[in-house]
Amino acid sequence: MYTLNAVKLRNELNALRPGLKIELKNVRINGTLQGCSGFITDESTGVVVYVSTDRNHGTVSTALYRLARSNRDFTGYGNNFALWADLASDVVALLDRSAR
């Protein structure tokens, strides 16, 4: 089963918006990769987004993402979901919308 890991997501984000601060860690359960989670920060605006591609949050091919107050805020604001293929572009769009 395909899993979106930290390296792939980091590469997708860097291709769309170089210069973001990306703090992602792979999630492993019993040695099996389950996805990744962490924070993406646009340091020029201070906007932070939390992401989780972990298959254990109830979906198999979608990722959770939301605005966060800081890179330690795991509760944040309202949840959004995106297909793994669209996650990087949706996160960049959220960063852009929130910077205004």
Side-chain angles (χ1 to χ4, degrees):
M1 179 182 300
Y2 176 78
T3 302
L4 184 58
N5 65 40
V7 172
K8 179 151 176 59
L9 182 55
R10 182 178 294 112
N11 290 342
E12 290 176 4
L13 287 163
N14 280 327
L16 290 172
R17 176 73 67 77
L20 292 174
K21 181 178 179 186
I22 301 170
E23 303 168 282
L24 296 172
K25 291 187 178 186
N26 285 325
V27 176
R28 294 187 182 275
I29 297 176
N30 294 327
T32 303
L33 181 64
Q34 299 294 311
C36 67
S37 68
F39 297 92
I40 295 97
T41 305
D42 183 342
E43 292 183 306
S44 65
T45 62
V47 177
V48 181
V49 174
Y50 171 76
V51 299
S52 174
T53 67
D54 185 350
R55 295 187 304 213
N56 295 302
H57 65 64
T59 62
V60 176
S61 62
T62 60
L64 174 143
Y65 69 103
R66 64 176 163 239
L67 287 174
R69 291 173 187 87
S70 71
N71 66 347
R72 297 185 186 275
D73 179 16
F74 292 92
T75 57
Y77 299 93
N79 293 341
N80 299 292
F81 293 90
L83 293 174
W84 287 341
D86 300 330
L87 179 60
S89 60
D90 287 358
V91 167
V92 169
L94 182 59
L95 288 168
D96 290 341
R97 281 193 312 269
S98 300
R100 297 180 186 158

